[in-house]
Amino acid sequence: MDAKVNGSTTRKASPGKATILALGKAFPHQLVMQEFLVDGYFRNTNCDDPELKEKLTRLCKTTTVKTRYVVMSEEILNKYPELATEGQPTVKQRLDICNDAVTRMAIEASESCIRKWGKSVSDITHLVYVSSSEARLPGGDLHLAKGLGLSPDTHRVMLYFMGCSGGVAGLRVAKDIAENNPGSRVLLATSETTIIGFKPPSASRPYDLVGVALFGDGAGAMIVGTDPIPGAECPPLYELHTAIQNFLPDTEKTIDGRLTEEGISFKLARELPQIIEDNIEGFCHKLMGVVGMSEKDYNKLFWAVHPGGPAILNRVEKRLNLMPEKLNASRRALMDYGNASSNTIVYVLEYMVEEGLKIKEKKNGDCEWGLILAFGPGITFEGILARNLTI
């Protein structure tokens, strides 16, 4: 549905369909430049293995990451030197740090999002909280609600340990809540830190170096609701038309994470990018078919893809024969923030909005329909067919 505003055409949200009304983000204060990461990491962990150092140097170049934000600091390592010692039972110390850090970042991202939305925290009716970086009772959802001053009547949902697909999974849940509770306004918040899995380099765990080179910390937030009120809240950014989730049978060990006495241990199988490439078309067709689109329409869509790593983005681009600019927002988010797990889709969508405004200024045309995608443990595919309402 389109409407004329000041002589130009703007898209209106479909009645009863969930929309993203605002986006927000937050980061810890520690900014890491990728070019300095290797020396700092090996110095902080008192490791002088030249082979591992050379391997991490190569990985840092191939990830395409330039900068990242992290909670970990020399101050934390000075207070908890056991975090950099192999084999120490440190899960309590890690959770003490993580639980506090993710709450602080989630509050900051949510407050930023609420300011952009234009309404009051008292207008939030539901909270969806996503994290793979904490574990406690009561959970981070309650700590966030308390920190923001949400009403005790706020309905809360918490999604734990969904990894990189958590942000889009949370958006799917927020969509369902908004559409089944007319007039509701749902705050979706994600918050992650890599301290839960920080370890010193080890020749027995070479795969850990991929995480060191790739992952970052931060938080994201969105306000989701139906039937936006003109003048009372900011114009909607995206309409969430259809959301689906699929898991691939017998792939549960491809992304393997275990919470141990030493924190979380992750293993990412080498075949992960290939598995995603082999299954991406069928998954996308389920969403595109809803509006009568097919493979010939790939480049007529916008693509907000969680940047799990450059190999995944390259495989998706190749299999779908996408024009290089279609994944610009995903590649920029990866370059600027690394793979920040569930948060990253927020950063991708922010860049999508920014690029959309540039297209509008140049009057180059735009893509009304697009896909919001993420891949996580399972292997689980999360996808949302969306409409761009910003142009």
Side-chain angles (χ1 to χ4, degrees):
M1 184 184 298
D2 295 345
K4 288 283 187 178
V5 178
N6 297 327
S8 64
T9 300
T10 59
R11 297 190 183 114
K12 291 184 65 176
S14 304
K17 281 290 184 183
T19 62
I20 299 175
L21 293 162
L23 299 164
K25 63 180 184 292
F27 301 98
H29 300 302
Q30 185 89 352
L31 175 65
V32 175
M33 307 293 290
Q34 193 82 334
E35 60 191 292
F36 302 123
L37 178 139
V38 177
D39 288 339
Y41 174 63
F42 276 79
R43 181 180 64 251
N44 290 338
T45 55
N46 300 308
C47 179
D48 58 1
D49 188 314
E51 289 188 16
L52 289 176
K53 194 170 186 179
E54 182 182 351
K55 181 178 177 66
L56 181 57
T57 301
R58 290 197 308 270
L59 286 169
C60 283
K61 292 177 180 177
T62 59
T63 59
T64 71
V65 176
K66 299 296 184 185
T67 54
R68 280 177 290 171
Y69 293 87
V70 296
V71 172
M72 180 59 82
S73 64
E74 289 190 9
E75 180 183 0
I76 289 175
L77 283 174
N78 288 336
K79 184 176 181 180
Y80 301 100
E82 62 270 27
L83 296 180
T85 305
E86 188 72 27
Q88 291 292 310
T90 52
V91 68
K92 181 185 182 300
Q93 296 93 313
R94 293 171 190 274
L95 288 175
D96 286 345
I97 300 166
C98 293
N99 291 343
D100 176 66
V102 293
T103 298
R104 282 188 286 106
M105 292 189 294
I107 290 172
E108 186 178 340
S110 298
E111 288 176 339
S112 171
C113 186
I114 292 166
R115 284 194 298 270
K116 294 176 185 177
W117 174 38
K119 297 196 77 176
S120 168
V121 68
S122 62
D123 293 306
I124 294 170
T125 59
H126 296 73
L127 171 64
V128 178
Y129 176 73
V130 180
S131 183
S132 296
S133 305
E134 61 157 280
R136 54 184 160 170
L137 292 173
D141 59 325
L142 184 69
H143 293 279
L144 174 57
K146 180 180 178 180
L148 290 173
L150 295 182
S151 166
D153 295 330
T154 304
H155 293 193
R156 310 187 318 274
V157 175
M158 185 168 60
L159 302 179
Y160 266 5
F161 295 104
M162 300 194 75
C164 292
S165 60
V168 181
L171 193 54
R172 170 173 53 79
V173 172
K175 166 184 163 62
D176 287 348
I177 292 172
E179 292 178 353
N180 284 284
N181 296 271
S184 63
R185 289 297 180 262
V186 186
L187 170 63
L188 166 63
T190 66
S191 195
E192 309 284 6
T193 173
T194 50
I195 280 186
I196 193 71
F198 179 88
K199 291 181 176 63
S202 171
S204 64
R205 298 190 318 275
Y207 40 80
D208 280 1
L209 296 180
V210 175
V212 175
L214 184 63
F215 290 108
D217 299 355
M222 307 188 207
I223 297 290
V224 177
T226 63
D227 304 311
I229 305 170
E233 53 193 342
C234 63
L237 303 173
Y238 294 96
E239 177 182 305
L240 307 174
H241 189 280
T242 301
I244 63 173
Q245 180 197 67
N246 284 174
F247 72 89
L248 305 179
D250 302 320
T251 63
E252 60 270 15
K253 293 184 179 180
T254 306
I255 304 173
D256 187 61
R258 306 293 173 94
L259 184 59
T260 72
E261 293 85 350
E262 299 173 52
I264 285 184
S265 297
F266 279 111
K267 290 184 182 179
L268 302 176
R270 289 179 178 272
E271 60 267 25
L272 176 60
Q274 183 65 55
I275 292 173
I276 291 173
E277 179 184 350
D278 291 343
N279 291 275
I280 188 67
E281 283 191 282
F283 184 74
C284 291
H285 290 170
K286 292 179 182 179
L287 287 165
M288 296 168 65
V290 173
V291 288
M293 302 181 97
S294 65
E295 62 271 8
K296 70 179 186 299
D297 300 309
Y298 288 149
N299 283 299
K300 296 179 182 178
L301 299 171
F302 65 82
W303 294 83
V305 181
H306 169 80
I312 291 174
L313 294 179
N314 293 341
R315 294 293 188 106
V316 170
E317 182 179 281
K318 174 187 172 186
R319 176 56 66 100
L320 303 180
N321 197 25
L322 297 179
M323 294 184 290
E325 63 268 22
K326 288 294 178 179
L327 296 181
N328 273 356
S330 297
R331 295 190 188 280
R332 285 181 65 192
L334 181 63
M335 180 174 67
D336 292 344
Y337 308 116
N339 178 348
S341 193
S342 65
N343 310 315
T344 324
I345 198 64
V346 178
Y347 314 152
V348 173
L349 287 170
E350 278 208 331
Y351 281 143
M352 294 286 297
V353 172
E354 179 185 311
E355 292 179 5
L357 292 175
K358 291 179 182 177
I359 291 172
K360 185 175 183 178
E361 289 175 2
K362 295 178 181 178
K363 299 180 179 179
N364 285 344
D366 65 285
C367 299
E368 176 177 5
W369 292 97
L371 298 182
I372 302 172
L373 302 173
F375 321 103
I379 294 172
T380 301
F381 280 45
E382 292 278 356
I384 299 176
L385 175 69
R387 285 178 66 222
N388 185 351
L389 303 177
T390 65
I391 302 177

